[in-house]
């Protein structure tokens, strides 16, 4: 036998995808690659051209991440052979050899780089390294919330299932008084999501040495999920004009957005905060980082870092929009991600707030966070990243100013509890809203909450002393408006209580109603009404303003939201009241009907239906359908719908993966966008 014939050669490698996938909780990924999580061992089966002889044969294993990998940054790894399993380090063992087949176990450290590795195995015969075999498909390494040594370790198994493995999500919209929910298909196991996440990391120029650091990973991705820099994924648009793209409410999940972006490598049009948060949850879960989508109602946007959200009125009760820099969003949606914070003192790990919505600049890029929820709650606004902005978003103070004709300003009212209400996320293990306000701030008005505000105020860029007016004996209370379907009349009510025991009080009340975007930006004035009233001593009365469907019919924005601004004053005194109330009309739900059980790889029918609640025709109608385990995502144009008419669409789909699945669908039209629905079903073999 010639010398060359004696040399051992690798002919193939079995990546044991099923067994490794089950052990690493990666079986759902729809890729042909081996997907593993760092900090765990994985198994390979090596096929040889001749029987393995322990006395003369051996292997070298090498992993390479990216172009021109080097040992110094962790992108080039020579894995040593070890006699026994090693914890939290690289190493491989030969666990079994049977003729031309060898089984090996590979150990990985919990802090190695995340990404796509090339695997190269060199066969050794009598210390001669002759033949190299490269695995055809890259091995994908992810973060590991099941491993205690990983920075994203999450102890609770049910939370790991929810915040890493659950691929159907929901977010909340509307106002703190009138909220609804929409469903979102995360698609983190679809090939395009991981592909896009790794593409964006490379596009960002982030040093490979940071690929193992979840803080840097989420901060980097959050700036590229929007398109403001480096032609990232999604273009933000809050104008109401979506010519050349899709209305943000047309999207029903992340897959379609990522898919379009990766096909064109151009920003996708258009999105708003709930779309960006959906993309964030998808990308972070795909990489193994626990993530959740968070909705905050009455979220403050403090543009001047004062920790106050300032509104300006004239004496007639008109809002002085040209003076406003700050806004209160009816709702805002962002991400929480779970990780340790070695860059901060002990106790600040856990949930971190992160916003990929392109509203704020952080270190020159459109991103915000990650900021520790513990730091936000305690008012420790000096910690990274952007904690001062986050504090104002959930615990700022709303200040109303009266501006006279000479430009002189005085405070009319201060509300310390109006910002940051009903902070919400999807429940663990089921659909429905979980209130997580206590994660972000102490209970309003408590000693702890006031202390946190005082602590945060030490670090603002400007400081001013604000005083409330003197004691008031007339109390004004805005009463919640009863829920109403879009297309119906509503009545706004202001309760007036005269607490003076002797005198009748005369007063003026000015109510101005605007249609608004959910960001708080005013679009159309619906109505302005000023009335004088009289309330006797120790009595109460109501000031009522009716808004008819004719008043708002052609003035609503896609969020179907109205804001009422109130200015009231008591004659003969210095008592002034100002306030606002956000109202959102209900929209009909989209009925989604699917057989309870459908057969794997066979076509089944989906029926989508609802009734137009408006006495006007719906035009430019579009349905979208997305679901895990279903072939592709669908966008279907639909005919015009007559006033108060019924809508029914039937489509055929094919199940590509067995198991319990959900399907989410949306309907949008020019007159009535953002109708959503979801249903669950089982795919059987």
């Amino acid at each position: 036998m010639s010398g060359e014939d004696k040399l051992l050669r690798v002919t193939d490698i079995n990546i044991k995808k099923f067994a490794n996938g089950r052990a690493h909780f990666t079986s759902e990924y729809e890729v042909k690659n081996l997907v593993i999580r760092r900090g765990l061992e994985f198994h390979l089966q090596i096929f040889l051209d001749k029987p393995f002889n322990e006395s003369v044969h051996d292997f070298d294993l090498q992993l390479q991440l990216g172009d021109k990998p080097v040992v110094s940054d962790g992108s080039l790894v020579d894995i040593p052979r070890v006699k026994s399993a090693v914890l939290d380090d690289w190493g491989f063992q030969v666990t079994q050899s049977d003729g031309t087949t060898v089984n090996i176990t590979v150990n990985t450290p919990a802090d190695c780089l995340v990404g796509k590795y090339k695997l190269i195995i060199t066969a050794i015969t009598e210390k001669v390294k002759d033949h190299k075999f490269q695995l055809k498909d890259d091995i994908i390494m992810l973060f590991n919330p099941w491993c205690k040594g990983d920075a994203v370790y999450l102890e609770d198994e049910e939370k790991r299932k929810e915040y890493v493995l659950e691929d159907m999500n929901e977010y909340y919209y509307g106002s703190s008084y009138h909220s609804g929910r929409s469903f979102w298909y995360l698609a983190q196991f679809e090939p395009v999501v991981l592909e896009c996440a790794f593409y964006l990391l490379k596009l960002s120029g982030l040093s490979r040495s940071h690929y193992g650091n979840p803080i840097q990973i989420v901060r980097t991705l959050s700036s590229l999920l929007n398109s403001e820099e480096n032609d990232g994924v999604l273009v933000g648009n809050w104008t109401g004009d979506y010519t050349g793209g899709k209305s943000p409410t047309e999207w029903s999940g992340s897959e379609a957005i990522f898919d379009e972006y990766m096909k064109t490598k151009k920003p996708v049009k258009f999105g708003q905060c709930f779309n960006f948060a959906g993309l964030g949850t998808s990308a972070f879960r795909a990489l193994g980082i626990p993530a959740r989508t968070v909705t905050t109602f009455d979220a403050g946007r403090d543009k001047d870092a004062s920790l106050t959200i300032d509104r300006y009125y004239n004496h007639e009760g008109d809002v002085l929009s040209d003076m406003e820099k700050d806004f209160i969003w009816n709702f805002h949606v962002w991400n929480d991600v779970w990780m340790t914070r070695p860059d901060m003192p002990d106790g600040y790990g856990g949930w971190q707030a992160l916003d990929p919505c392109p509203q704020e600049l952080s270190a020159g890029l459109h991103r915000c966070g990650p900021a520790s929820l513990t730091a936000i709650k305690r008012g420790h606004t000096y910690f990274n990243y952007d904690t001062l902005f986050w504090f104002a978003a959930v615990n700022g103070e709303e200040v109303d100013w009266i501006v006279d004709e000479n430009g002189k300003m005085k405070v009319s009212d201060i509300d310390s509890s109006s910002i940051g209400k009903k902070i919400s996320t999807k429940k663990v293990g089921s659909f429905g809203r979980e209130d997580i306000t206590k994660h972000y701030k102490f209970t309003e008005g408590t000693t702890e909450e006031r202390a946190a505000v005082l602590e945060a105020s030490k670090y603002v860029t400007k400081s001013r002393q604000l005083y409330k007016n003197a004691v008031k004996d007339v109390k004004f209370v805005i009463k919640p408006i009863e829920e109403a379907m879009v297309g119906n009349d509503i009545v706004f009510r202001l309760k007036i209580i005269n607490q003076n025991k002797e005198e009748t009080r005369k007063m003026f009340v000015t109510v101005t109603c605007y249609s608004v975007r959910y960001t708080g930006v005013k679009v159309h004035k619906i109505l302005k009404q000023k009335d004088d009233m009289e309330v006797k001593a120790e009595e109460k009365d109501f000031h009522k303003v009716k808004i008819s469907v004719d008043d708002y019919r052609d003035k609503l924005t896609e969020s179907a939201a109205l804001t009422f601004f109130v200015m009231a004053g008591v004659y003969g005194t210095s008592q002034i009241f100002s306030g606002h109330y956000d109202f959102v009309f209900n929209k009909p739900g989209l009925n989604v009907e699917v057989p309870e059980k459908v057969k794997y790889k066979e076509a089944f029918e989906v029926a989508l239906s609802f009734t137009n609640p408006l006495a006007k025709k719906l035009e430019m109608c579009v349905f979208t359908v997305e679901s895990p385990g279903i072939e592709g995502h669908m966008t279907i144009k639909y005919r015009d719908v007559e006033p108060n008419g019924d809508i029914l669409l039937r489509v055929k789909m094919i199940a590509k993966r067995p198991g319990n699945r959900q399907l989410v669908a949306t309907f949008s039209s020019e007159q009535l966008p953002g109708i959503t629905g979801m249903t669950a079903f089982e795919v059987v073999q």
Side-chain angles (χ1 to χ4, degrees):
M1 183 181 293
S2 67
E4 186 171 330
D5 290 338
K6 291 181 180 180
L7 296 177
L8 186 69
R9 286 176 169 78
V10 177
T11 59
D12 202 2
I13 298 175
N14 175 8
I15 60 175
K16 295 192 172 183
K17 193 170 188 299
F18 177 77
N20 284 319
R22 185 172 55 186
H24 288 248
F25 305 96
T26 58
S27 299
E28 292 286 305
Y29 284 90
E30 291 285 327
V31 295
K32 56 186 177 181
N33 310 69
L34 175 61
V35 183
I36 56 176
R37 300 188 188 276
R38 64 186 191 176
L40 293 179
E41 65 181 28
F42 65 96
H43 306 280
L44 299 173
Q45 189 175 45
I46 303 173
F47 297 100
L48 308 169
D49 67 338
K50 55 181 61 66
F52 180 78
N53 184 339
E54 183 71 50
S55 63
V56 296
H57 295 146
D58 204 353
F59 303 103
D60 272 352
L61 267 66
Q62 188 178 80
L63 290 174
Q64 301 178 2
L65 188 149
D67 301 325
K68 299 180 180 179
V70 293
V71 174
S72 59
D73 68 5
S75 60
L76 179 64
V77 182
D78 290 306
I79 305 176
R81 184 174 175 181
V82 294
K83 293 182 179 180
S84 58
V86 292
L87 296 177
D88 200 22
D89 202 355
W90 294 107
F92 81 91
Q93 301 169 266
V94 174
T95 55
Q96 184 182 14
S97 62
D98 184 9
T100 58
T101 302
V102 175
N103 293 313
I104 66 171
T105 296
V106 184
N107 295 101
T108 64
D111 61 353
C112 69
L113 306 185
V114 166
K116 299 166 72 173
Y117 286 89
K118 294 179 176 62
L119 172 65
I120 300 170
I121 297 183
T122 303
I124 302 173
T125 304
E126 295 178 341
K127 299 184 179 181
V128 176
K129 301 179 181 181
D130 177 70
H131 181 260
K132 293 184 177 182
F133 182 93
Q134 180 174 322
L135 187 65
K136 180 181 178 182
D137 299 310
D138 293 340
I139 293 177
I140 297 176
M141 183 76 74
L142 304 179
F143 291 100
N144 189 0
W146 282 265
C147 175
K148 289 184 178 180
D150 198 304
V152 302
Y153 172 66
L154 182 59
E155 186 174 7
D156 189 298
E157 174 63 14
E158 293 305 309
K159 290 181 179 179
R160 288 193 292 250
K161 290 178 180 177
E162 178 66 42
Y163 298 132
V164 181
L165 302 181
E166 177 58 55
D167 57 7
M168 192 62 73
N169 200 18
E170 64 184 21
Y171 65 89
Y172 309 95
Y173 63 87
S175 73
S176 56
Y177 292 103
H178 308 274
S179 61
R181 66 174 178 173
S182 284
F183 301 100
W184 189 264
Y185 173 41
L186 295 170
Q188 71 263 40
F189 302 120
E190 299 294 340
V192 71
V193 180
L194 266 182
E195 180 189 4
C196 188
F198 290 132
Y199 171 79
L200 293 175
L201 288 174
K202 185 175 182 180
L203 181 67
S204 73
L206 179 69
S207 170
R208 277 189 312 222
S209 61
H210 292 314
Y211 273 39
N213 183 340
I215 300 170
Q216 295 301 322
I217 291 288
V218 299
R219 185 158 166 79
T220 299
L221 286 179
S222 68
S223 70
L224 282 167
L225 291 173
N226 67 72
S227 66
E228 293 298 316
E229 290 87 25
N230 297 323
D231 288 332
V233 177
L234 191 61
V235 180
N237 186 338
W238 288 265
T239 67
D241 180 4
Y242 307 118
T243 304
K246 277 189 175 184
S247 165
T249 57
E250 284 185 39
W251 302 110
S252 56
S254 299
E255 183 183 12
I257 299 173
F258 281 127
D259 193 46
E260 181 177 337
Y261 178 73
M262 290 305 292
K263 285 178 179 177
T264 65
K265 299 298 193 299
K266 295 180 180 179
V268 178
K269 300 176 180 179
F270 293 105
Q272 293 177 357
C273 69
F274 43 90
N275 308 115
F276 292 106
L279 294 178
T281 303
S282 299
F284 304 141
R285 288 188 186 181
L287 292 171
I289 300 171
R292 62 188 184 187
T293 302
V294 175
T295 300
T296 297
F297 294 97
D298 297 322
R301 187 181 175 200
D302 176 22
K303 295 294 290 182
D304 59 3
S306 64
L307 295 183
T308 60
I309 311 301
D310 300 298
R311 293 184 185 274
Y312 301 91
Y313 301 82
N314 62 23
H315 283 286
E316 295 297 316
D318 296 311
V319 180
L320 302 179
S321 300
D322 59 332
M323 295 186 65
E324 289 187 342
K325 296 180 180 179
D326 304 332
F327 293 97
I328 300 175
W329 294 38
N330 288 357
F331 70 95
H332 188 40
V333 188
W334 60 67
N335 297 115
D336 280 350
V337 288
W338 181 274
M339 60 191 64
T340 60
R341 290 300 298 264
D343 58 326
M344 296 166 65
D346 290 345
Y348 291 89
W351 288 117
Q352 314 288 316
L354 184 81
D355 192 359
C357 183
Q359 294 295 322
E360 299 301 321
L361 282 171
S362 177
L365 298 176
H366 282 82
R367 57 188 175 183
C368 196
S372 164
L373 266 61
T374 300
I376 297 169
K377 184 173 183 176
R378 295 175 180 174
H380 294 171
T381 55
Y382 44 85
F383 283 128
N384 284 336
Y385 292 94
D386 312 306
T387 309
L388 180 66
F389 180 83
W390 286 106
F391 187 90
V394 300
N395 208 12
E397 302 200 334
E398 182 181 358
V399 181
D400 291 341
W401 299 81
I402 304 294
V403 184
D404 67 18
E405 59 274 11
N406 297 316
K408 186 177 180 180
M409 294 181 286
K410 68 175 181 179
V411 173
S412 68
D413 200 22
I414 301 173
D415 192 338
S416 300
S417 61
S418 64
I419 304 299
K421 295 179 180 176
K422 284 175 63 175
I423 305 177
S424 308
T425 193
K426 177 185 174 294
K427 288 182 178 179
V428 173
S430 65
F431 288 95
R433 188 183 75 87
E434 178 186 355
D435 193 296
I436 57 170
T437 306
K438 64 182 180 181
H439 295 186
Y440 275 85
K441 59 182 182 179
F442 296 103
T443 302
E444 290 285 1
T446 61
T447 302
E448 294 90 344
E449 188 266 342
R450 290 292 87 195
V453 172
L454 181 62
E455 176 68 17
S457 67
K458 296 177 182 178
Y459 308 100
V460 298
T461 56
K462 63 179 181 178
S463 179
R464 62 190 179 200
Q465 187 69 38
L466 303 175
Y467 296 94
K468 293 189 177 183
N469 288 326
V471 176
K472 301 177 180 181
D473 62 12
V474 178
K475 187 176 182 180
F476 298 89
V477 180
I478 298 173
K479 303 299 290 183
I481 299 174
E482 293 184 4
E483 290 192 6
M485 182 69 69
V486 63
N488 290 293
D489 300 343
I490 60 172
V491 177
F492 173 84
R493 296 182 304 150
L494 179 68
K495 186 178 181 180
I496 305 169
I497 306 168
N498 183 0
Q499 298 173 322
N500 192 296
K501 296 182 179 181
E502 299 176 354
E503 297 182 19
T504 295
R505 289 300 194 195
K506 295 181 180 180
M507 63 214 66
F508 71 89
V509 178
T510 302
V511 177
T512 310
C513 177
Y514 290 89
S515 65
V516 296
R517 307 202 189 285
Y518 77 89
T519 57
V521 174
K522 296 177 287 295
V523 179
H524 297 290
K525 182 183 285 187
I526 304 295
L527 172 146
K528 180 179 179 181
Q529 182 174 314
K530 182 176 181 180
D531 299 291
D532 286 337
M533 295 187 65
E534 186 176 286
V535 181
K536 293 180 179 180
E538 295 190 303
E539 291 190 4
K540 62 185 178 182
D541 200 355
F542 286 89
H543 180 263
K544 299 179 181 179
V545 177
K546 180 180 179 180
I547 304 292
S548 71
V549 65
D550 292 332
D551 292 327
Y552 69 77
R553 187 192 309 276
D554 297 316
K555 297 179 180 178
L556 281 185
T557 67
E558 62 268 35
S559 60
L562 302 177
T563 294
F564 294 84
F565 294 96
V566 182
M567 175 71 69
V570 181
Y571 291 119
T573 75
S574 61
Q575 298 181 59
I576 293 290
F577 169 81
S578 57
H580 77 280
Y581 180 85
D582 298 317
F583 176 79
V584 178
F585 286 99
N586 291 336
K587 297 179 183 179
L590 181 59
N591 298 315
V592 182
E593 296 183 36
V594 175
E596 288 186 10
K597 293 186 178 182
V598 301
K599 289 189 176 181
Y600 174 52
K601 291 189 176 180
E602 290 189 11
F604 64 96
E605 185 176 82
V606 180
L608 308 173
S609 63
F610 76 98
T611 299
N612 175 13
L614 301 180
K616 63 190 299 184
K617 182 183 290 187
L618 304 183
E619 300 168 321
M620 307 284 289
C621 302
V622 177
F623 284 93
T624 63
V625 183
E626 289 193 69
S627 174
I630 300 299
E631 290 286 356
H633 44 82
M634 303 179 70
T635 300
I636 306 142
K637 293 183 178 179
Y638 193 74
R639 60 172 172 81
D640 291 349
V641 180
E642 294 302 314
N644 303 119
D646 293 327
I647 298 172
L648 175 62
L649 174 67
R650 299 183 188 275
V651 296
K652 294 286 187 180
M653 306 193 79
I654 297 176
K656 67 178 181 180
R657 205 161 67 223
N660 294 317
R661 305 296 171 193
Q662 298 87 29
L663 183 145
V664 60
T666 68
F667 170 86
S668 285
S669 68
E670 195 172 67
Q671 297 75 20
L672 188 66
I675 309 299
T676 68
M678 188 197 72
T679 192
F681 59 99
E682 183 182 3
V683 180
V684 297
Q685 293 278 18

